[in-house]
Amino acid sequence: MPTKSPFPDITIPDVDLWGLMFDRKDRDFPDDKVIYRAIDSDRKYTFSDTKTLATLFGEGLRNLWDWQKDEVLALYAPNDIDIAPVIYGTFFAGGIVTPANPGYSADELAYQLENSGARALVTTKQFLDTALKAAEKVGIPNDRIILLGAEKDGSHRVKHWSNIRKTSGALRYRRRRAKPEDLAFLAYSSGTTGLPKGVMLTHRNIVADVVMIHGAVGNHYVYDNDKFLGVLPFFHIYGLTGLVHQTLHRGIEVVVMPAFEMKTFLEAIQEHKITFIYVAPPVIVRLARDQMVENYDLSSLKMITSGAAPLTKELVDAVHKRLQIRINQAYGLSETSPMTHTQASSTRDGVLLPQVRTRY
């Protein structure tokens, strides 16, 4: 006889991502709940802040740039708390977002800009010179390049995203409601051969995955008890869905790291009492073997989810023996938004049981 699934049945709402996040009636957390917190400053955004800033940015895109439905905005930046309102502001204006790896060279970025048909580019001061070179190659003018993050361009070559606002006296702009089948992201993936290819992800794709994560391992997260550490890159679909969208949907605070660095990673877990982390296997290797781990209190961690590459039983056992932290594995790919399989968090003798369910 087939075993009963450990996961509940779910209903996929027939909405776009903005509707899922901001128009829902079943939200169980308050407007002033902090969602995105910077690790290296006192910058933070509540749920209400995120919606307000996204609305202002979306109105600015329509008013200042005459942003048209289905136009593409490229996002070339490390993790930052500004990324969520920039993405949702683009959705407000009816646009599509293509996230790009901030490690790209000017030529690599130019390829994605041209291939995606991007009409504007968002970056940070740190990566501005590369962004300007790539934009010039594909004909994106400087007035369509803007910065996010704490730093502004002192040379005034480009504006900060916070300056893309509706001008005084302009008519109020209503958001362009996307259909669930409209594109939300062009997520570039190399697959197994050739140059990276733009994976066409609709609003329904991401909505479905966010809701299904909630029905799987996500049913253990509680907005007023749990905190995530945002160490996975937001430009990758794993971090984008798990850390940008899921936290906004669930009202869970995510402490945002621009990049992985072991000491900062461990300090953040200890200081912020992080309870859940999404990582790739190389981080598990460090937790199993790095002597630095002994210097930090990681007892707040309830579980780590590992994905993006295979993880051996030996590493899972080593981390559990050393730190008494549960590790579950997930599987997915850019084309599936991303998660398709995950383990339930039932345990026997402290070891996570490998109950896996195909969710698509």
Side-chain angles (χ1 to χ4, degrees):
M1 291 183 64
T3 58
K4 183 178 180 181
S5 169
F7 299 110
D9 291 334
I10 60 162
T11 300
I12 308 299
D14 194 33
V15 296
D16 65 353
L17 276 162
W18 184 285
L20 179 74
M21 302 301 175
F22 300 125
D23 296 340
R24 54 192 288 220
K25 305 301 182 186
D26 61 345
R27 180 160 55 89
D28 61 355
F29 57 91
D31 286 351
D32 63 357
K33 178 67 171 65
V34 172
I35 309 295
Y36 307 106
R37 184 184 300 275
I39 197 169
D40 52 2
S41 72
D42 59 359
R43 298 167 63 225
K44 61 182 183 294
Y45 292 146
T46 64
F47 178 85
S48 179
D49 292 335
T50 305
K51 181 179 180 180
T52 298
L53 291 169
T55 301
L56 291 171
F57 182 60
E59 290 176 337
L61 287 178
R62 296 191 63 187
N63 177 221
L64 297 181
W65 289 0
D66 190 27
W67 197 261
Q68 300 299 307
K69 189 176 186 302
D70 294 333
E71 288 186 339
V72 177
L73 179 141
L75 187 56
Y76 174 66
N79 291 3
D80 192 277
I81 68 169
D82 287 347
I83 284 177
V86 166
I87 287 174
Y88 279 87
T90 306
F91 292 161
F92 181 99
I96 300 164
V97 175
T98 185
N101 186 340
Y104 276 171
S105 67
D107 286 341
E108 290 169 326
L109 176 59
Y111 165 77
Q112 183 168 333
L113 295 175
E114 183 172 34
N115 189 260
S116 66
R119 290 201 60 219
L121 176 59
V122 184
T123 188
T124 64
K125 185 178 179 182
Q126 178 185 0
F127 296 96
L128 178 58
D129 288 342
T130 302
L132 288 167
K133 291 175 185 175
E136 184 179 10
K137 287 175 179 288
V138 299
I140 295 176
N142 283 11
D143 62 2
R144 287 297 182 99
I145 302 171
I146 55 177
L147 298 185
L148 60 73
E151 292 187 282
K152 298 186 178 182
D153 178 30
S155 64
H156 305 292
R157 290 172 293 177
V158 298
K159 290 183 177 181
H160 195 263
W161 78 282
S162 60
N163 295 125
I164 306 299
R165 297 288 184 266
K166 177 171 64 70
T167 55
S168 60
L171 295 175
R172 178 176 180 269
Y173 286 88
R174 301 177 65 84
R175 88 170 174 96
R176 287 191 172 111
R177 292 180 180 273
K179 297 176 182 177
E181 61 269 23
D182 286 345
L183 286 187
F185 293 100
L186 286 170
Y188 274 69
S189 173
S190 60
T192 56
T193 60
L195 292 169
K197 305 158 189 70
V199 177
M200 301 167 68
L201 298 175
T202 67
H203 285 264
R204 191 188 304 279
N205 290 148
I206 307 295
V207 166
D209 213 66
V210 168
V211 173
M212 287 192 285
I213 294 171
H214 184 181
V217 292
N219 67 69
H220 299 285
Y221 309 151
V222 181
Y223 79 85
D224 54 355
N225 289 334
D226 291 310
K227 288 185 182 181
F228 286 13
L229 184 56
V231 64
L232 286 175
F234 292 174
F235 71 82
H236 189 276
I237 192 65
Y238 184 14
L240 186 62
T241 298
L243 297 173
V244 177
H245 302 311
Q246 180 185 204
T247 55
L248 188 60
H249 180 244
R250 300 295 306 283
I252 296 172
E253 181 177 319
V254 56
V255 179
V256 178
M257 289 183 65
F260 177 77
E261 193 279 321
M262 190 63 176
K263 185 172 184 291
T264 306
F265 174 79
L266 296 171
E267 287 175 346
I269 296 171
Q270 177 175 282
E271 178 183 348
H272 294 278
K273 306 299 181 186
I274 302 297
T275 59
F276 286 89
I277 302 176
Y278 289 94
V279 298
V283 176
I284 304 295
V285 173
R286 297 289 298 273
L287 288 171
R289 300 174 183 172
D290 199 315
Q291 282 301 116
M292 192 187 306
V293 173
E294 302 294 339
N295 300 328
Y296 295 90
D297 178 6
L298 308 184
S299 61
S300 62
L301 278 176
K302 299 176 183 177
M303 189 166 69
I304 298 173
T305 292
S306 178
L311 184 65
T312 66
K313 180 179 183 298
E314 288 72 22
L315 273 175
V316 173
D317 292 344
V319 172
H320 187 268
K321 182 178 180 180
R322 186 182 194 186
L323 300 171
Q324 298 301 302
I325 296 172
R326 296 180 295 174
I327 298 175
N328 81 324
Q329 295 192 63
Y331 174 82
L333 55 160
S334 297
E335 290 80 355
T336 55
S337 312
M339 195 184 295
T340 62
H341 298 67
T342 187
Q343 291 173 296
S345 58
S346 55
T347 61
R348 180 184 299 145
D349 299 327
V351 179
L352 203 65
L353 299 179
Q355 297 171 293
V356 182
R357 174 191 178 190
T358 302
R359 299 196 349 250
Y360 276 125

